[in-house]
Amino acid sequence: MHCMPIELSFTWNFLSIMTSWASPELRKCLLLGVTGGVAAYKAAELARLLAQNGINVQTVMTQAACHFVGAATFQSLTSNPVYTDLWDANATQNMAHINLSRDADLILIAPASADFIAKLAHGMADDLLTTLCLARDCPLMIAPAMNRQMWGNPATQRNLSQLRQDGVTVLGPASGEQACGEVGIGRMLEAVELAETVQAAFRTVPLLQGKNVLLTAGPTFEAIDAVRGITNRSSGKMGYAVARAAVEAGAAVTLISGSVCLVPPAVDKFIPVVSAEDMLRAVQAEIALADIFISVAAVADYRVAHVSQQKIKKSDGNLALELVPTPDILRTVSSLPNPPFCVGFAAETENLEENAAMKRRKKNVPLLVANLAQDAIGSDESELILFDDSGQHILPKASKMEQARHLIKHIHRLYSQQH
Ligand code: C5P
């Protein structure tokens, strides 16, 4: 089955009258992705509710979705053509409607099938909707809908965990009677709930709009010789999540990162570095513009005094290396005459609270984020304790992306009190 955009013969209908109050430049644009599942019928109601509330809804359906509900339904309800084909010859410059995601303020996939979630998690782009999701710079929300066993399958849960890590918001699913006759978790949230979530997202003023955020993330690597070095087990996951959350909050983000095995988030500027010295130089080059400096990097505290240009030969005796301290980047920044709002991180293995409170004073920062190194390093989840002038705030265990979003809200609160 091959569904092409369907242009209705009339352009003047009741919806254009209902939505005409919102000037085109103020109207928010939602790209509604519909994938194959019985819940696709609820997506039609969702499209109706959103269009009724003045949102410009552009619908993209997968081929499987077309088996469940007709494109003409969405066309009528949204007054926009419905797209299903990556290879539409009528699209601008044959760019496969890539502009659809460029113009979108938000993409919502409802329903999101197990198959589509798997494709998203693996960055596939083999049809129009997956391509648009990959080629976006706006937030992505998914409303899963599937049989309870598909939902509970470790493969689905693994894919969802990857998507959450990538900054995708997962809405639902709810529990209840399913189309297959079973009862359990996997029902798509109701159209009204999803419409409210989308509208709330559009109402929210980005907290850090107009602010420049400078971040460090990942480990540093201090060379010993031509092939060896001192480093640590930081994965960069927390720093990258905070960078993503800052982007979501509307900030212009510069991310300075040690080497990690992660795809950089869509920040304004990404600066890869190796050693603590490199990181300091990069920070110093960028700091003048920063309103907020978030130092998440696990900077090595020592480097060797004399780096050997050649590989050091093995001998039977002991080898003594002279270690000298690296520059403390955070302290250098917080000691500037006019420092940005500084946030430090502390990974402790014991006496978390005492050490973190002491570190906040020593580093002279208004906010210090502490976690237990053994729980946090390399993990997708963490429990955080925020230390500031008003005391401690515990963020119970959650995904690093969720923690990052909470942290950005907290930073915004403190920053607004000072400015
Ligand atoms: O002293 P400690 O390494 O525990 O401090 C952790 C905090 O200080 C983190 O925010 C880290 O990014 C920052 N730091 C730094 N430069 C160093 C060491 C740590 O900026 N040389």
Side-chain angles (χ1 to χ4, degrees):
M1 183 165 170
H2 189 73
C3 305
M4 292 292 290
I6 300 167
E7 296 289 349
L8 290 186
S9 53
F10 58 93
T11 52
W12 180 248
N13 64 15
F14 73 102
L15 272 169
S16 37
I17 301 170
M18 287 169 73
T19 56
S20 59
W21 57 269
S23 71
E25 64 275 14
L26 288 180
R27 275 182 83 190
K28 290 288 185 186
C29 179
L30 175 84
L31 198 160
L32 174 63
V34 185
T35 74
V38 180
Y41 79 91
K42 291 195 205 171
E45 171 66 356
L46 172 63
R48 187 187 72 82
L49 290 170
L50 293 170
Q52 201 173 39
N53 281 288
I55 292 169
N56 178 17
V57 181
Q58 299 283 350
T59 313
V60 176
M61 300 173 72
T62 62
Q63 296 291 306
C66 297
H67 287 285
F68 289 92
V69 59
T73 305
F74 290 97
Q75 170 97 29
S76 314
L77 294 170
T78 64
S79 300
N80 280 321
V82 172
Y83 298 95
T84 61
D85 188 3
L86 188 56
W87 307 109
D88 174 15
N90 296 323
T92 325
Q93 300 171 324
N94 278 340
M95 279 302 284
H97 317 292
I98 217 100
N99 287 336
L100 281 175
S101 61
R102 296 222 171 102
D103 294 341
D105 297 295
L106 174 70
I107 299 180
L108 168 63
I109 311 294
S113 65
D115 175 63
F116 193 80
I117 288 171
K119 283 181 174 169
L120 269 186
H122 291 87
M124 289 175 70
D126 62 351
D127 66 3
L128 178 58
L129 192 52
T130 47
T131 305
L132 290 172
C133 288
L134 209 57
R136 75 178 199 283
D137 58 7
C138 64
L140 173 61
M141 294 181 174
I142 59 171
M146 66 195 73
N147 160 274
R148 67 179 176 87
Q149 277 170 321
M150 291 168 89
W151 173 258
N153 191 294
T156 305
Q157 291 305 315
R158 223 177 18 247
N159 292 332
L160 286 160
S161 153
Q162 179 62 55
L163 290 177
R164 288 193 186 97
Q165 241 187 74
D166 294 345
V168 175
T169 304
V170 181
L171 307 172
S175 209
E177 196 170 330
Q178 306 201 304
C180 55
E182 294 182 16
V183 177
I185 188 157
R187 277 174 64 93
M188 187 173 89
L189 294 186
E190 295 306 319
V192 175
E193 290 172 78
L194 292 175
E196 276 169 10
T197 306
V198 169
Q199 285 172 279
F202 284 158
R203 271 195 303 271
T204 311
V205 181
L207 292 178
L208 296 180
Q209 186 87 60
K211 299 288 168 248
N212 290 312
V213 172
L214 180 63
L215 273 133
T216 64
T220 64
F221 178 90
E222 312 301 325
I224 293 173
D225 66 13
V227 294
R228 304 182 181 95
I230 302 170
T231 188
N232 58 66
R233 287 170 47 213
S234 163
S235 64
K237 285 179 183 171
M238 190 69 223
Y240 279 42
V242 179
R244 280 203 176 89
V247 170
E248 279 178 14
V253 177
T254 298
L255 174 60
I256 300 171
S257 174
S259 31
V260 294
C261 299
L262 299 174
V263 179
V267 292
D268 293 69
K269 197 167 177 186
F270 179 76
I271 308 174
V273 293
V274 177
S275 67
E277 287 282 354
D278 296 341
M279 191 171 268
L280 175 66
R281 266 195 299 277
V283 166
Q284 283 172 326
E286 300 294 327
I287 201 68
L289 285 179
D291 300 294
I292 297 168
F293 175 57
I294 312 177
S295 183
V296 197
V299 186
D301 292 324
Y302 295 94
R303 62 177 175 82
V304 296
H306 308 287
V307 179
S308 169
Q309 295 310 306
Q310 304 302 328
K311 186 178 170 196
I312 299 170
K313 289 280 168 233
K314 188 164 83 175
S315 72
D316 290 338
N318 293 350
L319 173 69
L321 292 172
E322 188 190 349
L323 298 182
V324 293
T326 55
D328 191 315
I329 303 168
L330 180 56
R331 238 181 19 204
T332 308
V333 172
S334 69
S335 311
L336 288 170
N338 198 6
F341 183 87
C342 288
V343 182
F345 268 69
E348 304 291 342
T349 53
E350 57 184 349
N351 301 333
L352 179 74
E353 296 182 13
E354 278 164 54
N355 288 339
M358 200 166 68
K359 200 158 282 178
R360 188 171 91 90
R361 284 193 299 276
K362 203 168 120 193
K363 305 258 176 186
N364 191 25
V365 292
L367 177 61
L368 188 111
V369 183
N371 56 29
L372 273 178
Q374 52 270 48
D375 289 346
I377 285 193
S379 161
D380 293 334
E381 293 190 322
S382 64
E383 177 182 314
L384 301 180
I385 309 182
L386 314 186
F387 291 80
D388 60 23
D389 280 346
S390 66
Q392 296 180 22
H393 314 267
I394 296 174
L395 300 183
K397 196 164 191 167
S399 77
K400 288 187 172 173
M401 196 58 226
E402 283 172 61
Q403 300 295 49
R405 290 187 180 118
H406 286 304
L407 175 62
I408 288 293
K409 281 191 196 142
H410 198 82
I411 290 173
H412 169 257
R413 251 195 311 276
L414 297 183
Y415 178 84
S416 318
Q417 284 163 12
Q418 287 191 5
H419 295 83

